[in-house]
Amino acid sequence: MLTHSFKWLLLGALAAQHSVAEPLFRQQNPDITVNSFNTAQEAAVLQATTDLLAAESLVASCSSCISLLKVVKNLAIISESLFLSTLISVCKRSGFDPIVCEGTIREQGPVLRHVLRTINVSGKDGHILCAATIDSCPYPVVDQWNLTFPSPKPANAQPPAPSGQEITVLHLSDWHVDPFYEMGAEAACDKPICCRPEFTNYENITQPASIWGAYTCDTPITLLESMLEYIPSVTDKYAFAILTGDVPPHEVWSTLPYNKTQGIETLSYDLLHAHFDTPGLIDAKLYPVVGNHEAAPTNLFPHNVSQIPKGDDKQFLNLTWLYETMSESWSGWLETEATFELVHNSGSYVAYPTDGLVIIGLNTMFCYTLNWWNMESGGEKDPNGIFQWMIHHLQMAEDEGKRVWIIGHIAPGDNTCLHDYSNYYYQIVERYAPHVIAGQFFGHTHRDELEIFYENAKQKAGKAISTAYLAPSMTPFSMMNPGFRVYKIDAVTFEVMDSLTYVADLDQVDDWEETGPNWHLEYSAREAYSSSEASLGPKEPLSPAWWHNVTKSFEESDSMFEKYYNFRSKSSPDLPECDQACRTNLICGIRAGKSELRCDYQRDDMNQTSEVSLFSQRQRNPEKFAYMKDLCSGMDH
Ligand SMILES: *[C@@H]1O[C@H](CO)[C@@H](O)[C@H](O)[C@H]1NC(C)=O
Ligand SMILES: *[C@@H]1O[C@H](CO)[C@@H](O)[C@H](O)[C@H]1NC(C)=O
Ligand SMILES: *[C@@H]1O[C@H](CO)[C@@H](O)[C@H](O)[C@H]1NC(C)=O
Ligand SMILES: *[C@@H]1O[C@H](CO)[C@@H](O)[C@H](O)[C@H]1NC(C)=O
Ligand SMILES: *[C@@H]1O[C@H](CO)[C@@H](O)[C@H](O)[C@H]1NC(C)=O
Ligand SMILES: *[C@@H]1O[C@H](CO)[C@@H](O)[C@H](O)[C@H]1NC(C)=O
Ligand SMILES: *[C@@H]1O[C@H](CO)[C@@H](O)[C@H](O)[C@H]1NC(C)=O
Ligand SMILES: *[C@@H]1O[C@H](CO)[C@@H](O)[C@H](O)[C@H]1NC(C)=O
């Protein structure tokens, strides 16, 4: 399953890497006939793809990746149909699933082709593509840029003292509902997601899908409803709730026509309204954000300067339909002003859920490595002015003495967030935390994770200024128990006092016949992670400094780390071993509020020293391949 999804995602990523400003191939080769041209190009793309897949060392893989980009870029200059048909053919001949090849390339190809034509393959653009999407080149260093702020950071900025009163907030993420899920269908199929009639040979079913879900499939409605019914039993009252993106399924090869994806979104939000707007049920306002899967085709969120390919049949790529659909689906929860704002602000909005708290609902897709629009020309440092917009609202909150929560889909320290964007975002956090930003909340990885931000990126308890919580996914895809999160929040400071994670053990599905899913508290972060090294007084919040000390306990104590490692995957069965290198890597990731501080990629700045341990001179070894699989299956979370 993992291998399979790795393969088709790699494929999608490969197909996407294109560029280099070279003279038009056609002009150079005016006498080539279309047929021989077609065959020759296909052979060239196939050869380059084979070389890349076979590359053993990072050096070989980087040069193979750049070569592939060159041949594919040449192809992009000819007609769109030739471009698509060649890539589809090579995809199939490389052993990928034919339906997935065909669909993914038809959907992603036109934007890919367009973007490819604008970028310099052998320059920084090409290297970023190869580094960011499949980790096959050293990652180019960040283009240094200092954001400007309306006022300097106040001296000795400190968060306010806790009030002792608490409210409860619900955090849902990564639903990935599959309306085509069918009980009894094949759960061990050869497509990226299973449990669908179309991928089932009813003559010979090896693993029938249960009524509640399967580890190889997206979420059936039954599982969603059981969770929504269980949620009110956790507490008397929710002050409000957040949903950090990704409602549609992982069917990335078939998201079009866009009204198919739109229909799934509308139906899902209708279901959510039924539960969130009804006294006796959840009965609270829900603040959602868009994830990479909200778009159709998946991941492709254009910038306001993006050149949408011409043709009436391509105008939906501007995503106006998506922002308008969200505006409608989220009304009743968001103020009218916010529903209007998100349409004109590429999906981002502000909301005021309760006195003293501002929510910045951020569309994080301008940082995503697989949003090809981010690669186009590569010049903008603040796409659509979203950083300036954030700064404006954070400054207002500072001036008015309010606290801010930032909610989004992809966390800035994630390995799928572009380093440059992440660096600029981190500067904003450094300016407005800890006194204004009281919390950050994301999803996307499907795992239960966190990221810590520091003043001047100094990874010490005394310098820790903000924590981002990555909530577990609802979907069991892939190989993970479904889950959700509940926070105990100080009613005045809006700091997190406790983080409670709930899961259902899908491996026990055979015992659920009479009882339904066994939703239960998996752990309280306050209880699980308090230790002599990281201790908390009864009134103290889970501060960034405390979390930093928790990561130190992960370094020093096997049992503390194992606890984290198990919770990170929601206590799912069959976790792979995590050896010392893996452990170092995961702890490094927690302390990396910006993606350039991570330890799981190859840097281009070998001579610069950093506080984080580097896996620098590393060649492409089995560990790295294991990591790549994780990255690639994670890529499309
Ligand atoms: C592309 O990048 C390479 C390497 O940085 C550079 O030498 C070349 O001039 C660039 N080409 C264009 C057209 O900018
Ligand atoms: C950004 O600010 C830092 C510290 O103030 C300064 O050292 C650096 O030169 C500035 N960088 C740029 C590109 O302006
Ligand atoms: C059923 O499917 C399995 C796995 O795909 C295969 O190994 C087996 O030979 C099949 N059996 C029959 C009777 O087709
Ligand atoms: C999408 O739109 C097309 C053309 O307008 C229509 O034929 C089709 O039924 C729609 N599909 C859905 C799922 O709404
Ligand atoms: C986006 O495309 C739609 C058609 O799908 C069109 O009506 C709309 O004007 C376009 N919006 C922008 C901002 O270009
Ligand atoms: C795109 O957004 C930027 C930043 O807000 C703005 O300066 C620019 O005018 C916008 N461009 C278009 C074409 O809307
Ligand atoms: C973190 O650890 C340091 C060093 O042991 C200690 O001084 C500090 O009080 C701890 N802070 C928290 C919040 O646990
Ligand atoms: C990096 O280090 C190597 C060897 O230590 C040296 O030859 C090279 O010039 C350095 N590069 C830069 C950009 O400082």
Side-chain angles (χ1 to χ4, degrees):
M1 183 59 223
L2 194 59
T3 310
H4 213 83
S5 67
F6 165 62
K7 273 170 61 178
W8 70 263
L9 284 163
L10 178 61
L11 176 270
L14 288 182
Q17 331 227 357
H18 321 14
S19 0
V20 133
E22 274 154 26
L24 291 185
F25 189 92
R26 276 299 235 178
Q27 285 171 6
Q28 287 179 321
N29 303 279
D31 50 359
I32 291 180
T33 67
V34 166
N35 271 345
S36 67
F37 178 80
N38 190 356
T39 314
Q41 282 298 82
E42 191 174 315
V45 177
L46 185 61
Q47 185 58 51
T49 305
T50 310
D51 290 350
L52 177 56
L53 290 172
E56 285 292 327
S57 71
L58 186 75
V59 173
S61 90
C62 186
S63 66
S64 310
C65 185
I66 300 294
S67 304
L68 177 62
L69 291 188
K70 287 183 182 171
V71 292
V72 180
K73 178 163 178 163
N74 282 338
L75 194 60
I77 291 163
I78 331 295
S79 73
E80 182 179 290
S81 63
L82 190 61
F83 177 80
L84 298 180
S85 63
T86 306
L87 289 194
I88 290 167
S89 168
V90 169
C91 178
K92 291 178 181 168
R93 287 170 64 178
S94 305
F96 297 99
D97 184 274
I99 294 172
V100 174
C101 281
E102 177 98 27
T104 308
I105 291 169
R106 285 217 178 286
E107 295 203 353
Q108 301 279 320
V111 173
L112 216 60
R113 169 174 177 261
H114 167 80
V115 168
L116 176 58
R117 288 166 13 141
T118 70
I119 71 178
N120 184 344
V121 170
S122 52
K124 188 176 176 187
D125 296 346
H127 283 80
I128 286 189
L129 259 175
C130 291
T133 58
I134 53 172
D135 197 22
S136 62
C137 280
Y139 209 119
V141 290
V142 167
D143 207 351
Q144 290 303 321
W145 178 55
N146 291 348
L147 276 79
T148 54
F149 298 99
S151 71
K153 184 170 184 171
N156 299 321
Q158 287 302 323
S163 69
Q165 290 161 352
E166 284 181 6
I167 57 174
T168 306
V169 174
L170 173 67
H171 185 176
L172 306 176
S173 204
D174 295 83
W175 274 54
H176 294 293
V177 59
D178 189 355
F180 307 106
Y181 184 104
E182 192 184 88
M183 182 182 138
E186 180 62 79
C189 75
D190 60 358
K191 294 289 181 296
I193 53 168
C194 297
C195 305
R196 288 182 165 200
E198 56 185 315
F199 310 146
T200 301
N201 170 9
Y202 284 96
E203 312 277 280
N204 180 14
I205 293 178
T206 44
Q207 193 188 321
S210 86
I211 184 171
W212 301 112
Y215 287 120
T216 50
C217 306
D218 271 331
T219 321
I221 307 268
T222 45
L223 185 63
L224 285 183
E225 290 202 310
S226 98
M227 186 192 77
L228 291 170
E229 282 162 18
Y230 175 78
I231 286 171
S233 72
V234 168
T235 185
D236 290 343
K237 173 150 188 58
Y238 290 99
F240 62 90
I242 59 180
L243 167 54
T244 45
D246 272 8
V247 163
H250 288 91
E251 196 185 13
V252 299
W253 66 97
S254 177
T255 68
L256 296 177
Y258 76 84
N259 59 354
K260 174 183 171 185
T261 300
Q262 184 182 38
I264 294 171
E265 282 154 3
T266 306
L267 284 174
S268 303
Y269 280 107
D270 287 349
L271 175 66
L272 285 161
H273 272 290
H275 282 266
F276 280 80
D277 303 352
T278 309
L281 299 181
I282 300 177
D283 193 19
K285 283 193 172 160
L286 176 66
Y287 298 92
V289 291
V290 289
N292 52 308
H293 282 272
E294 262 72 32
T298 309
N299 305 339
L300 303 183
F301 287 74
H303 302 190
N304 69 358
V305 295
S306 297
Q307 303 285 317
I308 308 285
K310 298 223 170 5
D312 287 347
D313 58 331
K314 301 240 170 71
Q315 286 315 296
F316 68 90
L317 289 172
N318 73 18
L319 292 195
T320 299
W321 64 268
L322 175 65
Y323 300 135
E324 284 175 351
T325 306
M326 295 301 106
S327 168
E328 226 164 89
S329 285
W330 301 350
S331 72
W333 299 326
L334 270 55
E335 300 290 328
T336 312
E337 214 170 284
T339 60
F340 180 81
E341 180 176 33
L342 78 90
V343 173
H344 300 278
N345 199 35
S346 41
S348 298
Y349 66 87
V350 286
Y352 308 92
T354 173
D355 273 356
L357 180 66
V358 180
I359 282 184
I360 293 184
L362 194 63
N363 172 0
T364 53
M365 246 44 66
F366 301 137
C367 106
Y368 194 34
T369 49
L370 295 183
N371 176 9
W372 312 129
W373 291 118
N374 291 336
M375 308 289 176
E376 189 187 20
S377 68
E380 300 153 271
K381 295 205 161 53
D382 183 7
N384 294 16
I386 298 299
F387 289 142
Q388 274 314 312
W389 170 85
M390 274 176 76
I391 290 169
H392 170 76
H393 287 287
L394 285 161
Q395 185 64 45
M396 270 206 310
E398 180 175 271
D399 296 344
E400 293 168 5
K402 291 182 176 162
R403 306 302 310 274
V404 173
W405 277 17
I406 299 172
I407 67 173
H409 182 61
I410 300 176
D414 194 69
N415 57 20
T416 65
C417 182
L418 292 166
H419 290 188
D420 290 36
Y421 176 103
S422 186
N423 179 291
Y424 311 146
Y425 179 98
Y426 200 95
Q427 292 180 31
I428 298 178
V429 175
E430 282 188 77
R431 166 64 186 80
Y432 292 102
H435 59 303
V436 178
I437 299 172
Q440 304 182 62
F441 303 90
F442 300 94
H444 184 60
T445 66
H446 294 194
R447 297 184 188 279
D448 172 354
E449 297 179 294
L450 71 141
E451 289 174 4
I452 306 172
F453 295 69
Y454 303 83
E455 201 179 318
N456 298 319
K458 288 215 162 41
Q459 299 175 338
K460 299 189 169 86
K463 298 287 181 188
I465 52 174
S466 187
T467 309
Y469 291 84
L470 279 60
S473 65
M474 173 64 201
T475 183
F477 181 84
S478 68
M479 301 311 295
M480 265 183 283
N481 286 326
F484 65 93
R485 170 68 56 74
V486 171
Y487 300 106
K488 294 292 174 193
I489 301 292
D490 185 281
V492 174
T493 68
F494 302 104
E495 309 249 332
V496 175
M497 303 302 292
D498 200 1
S499 164
L500 305 153
T501 304
Y502 291 79
V503 295
D505 302 310
L506 192 56
D507 54 334
Q508 294 167 26
V509 69
D510 292 344
D511 305 333
W512 292 356
E513 213 154 296
E514 306 210 330
T515 56
N518 69 336
W519 294 109
H520 63 277
L521 175 66
E522 183 193 28
Y523 75 103
S524 138
R526 195 178 185 94
E527 272 173 32
Y529 294 140
S530 283
S531 66
S532 53
E533 189 142 40
S535 61
L536 285 173
K539 293 235 170 94
E540 285 174 332
L542 309 187
S543 64
W546 178 76
W547 276 116
H548 177 86
N549 286 357
V550 170
T551 64
K552 284 178 71 179
S553 76
F554 294 165
E555 278 173 336
E556 280 151 30
S557 151
D558 292 349
S559 66
M560 289 303 279
F561 178 75
E562 272 154 28
K563 221 190 261 190
Y564 170 72
Y565 187 62
N566 185 42
F567 291 153
R568 178 173 172 270
S569 294
K570 299 178 273 181
S571 304
S572 303
D574 302 326
L575 276 189
E577 282 282 303
C578 186
D579 62 10
Q580 191 54 44
C582 157
R583 177 161 159 178
T584 306
N585 196 13
L586 291 184
I587 294 168
C588 166
I590 299 174
R591 294 174 183 166
K594 50 182 167 184
S595 46
E596 73 194 89
L597 295 180
R598 299 181 66 92
C599 301
D600 51 11
Y601 70 94
Q602 173 81 42
R603 280 151 210 269
D604 214 4
D605 55 343
M606 303 279 207
N607 293 12
Q608 289 182 19
T609 53
S610 158
E611 287 192 33
V612 297
S613 62
L614 301 185
F615 287 9
S616 33
Q617 316 300 341
R618 184 186 52 172
Q619 291 292 294
R620 187 178 271 195
N621 58 26
E623 249 166 51
K624 177 150 178 167
F625 265 120
Y627 161 67
M628 273 183 66
K629 284 189 194 177
D630 202 33
L631 170 71
C632 292
S633 63
M635 257 195 215
D636 199 61
H637 289 155

